[in-house]
Amino acid sequence: GGLGLMAGFATPLPWLGILLAFLLAGIVALGMTRLSARLIGGQTGDVGGAIQQLAEIAAYLGLLIAARP
């Protein structure tokens, strides 16, 4: 997490977008982890893959939100 955040700040992307991307990805990952624990008692490989995909989408949305003119 920390290494990715430092690498993000080395890019020309807006700082707010990077922070928002990390925040949204973390919230989605935490929410899906808790949901899978409650509904099916834990995670499977499929759940882990779904969490990764949803966190990536959330990160992209965070970057898009911050990049709006």
Side-chain angles (χ1 to χ4, degrees):
L3 182 60
L5 193 57
M6 289 185 340
F9 285 136
T11 66
L13 296 170
W15 287 35
L16 177 62
I18 294 168
L19 290 175
L20 189 58
F22 269 81
L23 179 68
L24 290 176
I27 289 170
V28 166
L30 179 64
M32 285 296 295
T33 301
R34 294 185 71 185
L35 182 66
S36 68
R38 184 171 55 90
L39 294 178
I40 61 174
Q43 291 185 10
T44 64
D46 288 339
V47 172
I51 291 171
Q52 184 275 327
Q53 291 292 304
L54 291 171
E56 186 174 348
I57 291 167
Y60 290 145
L61 287 174
L63 286 171
L64 283 172
I65 289 168
R68 281 188 5 200

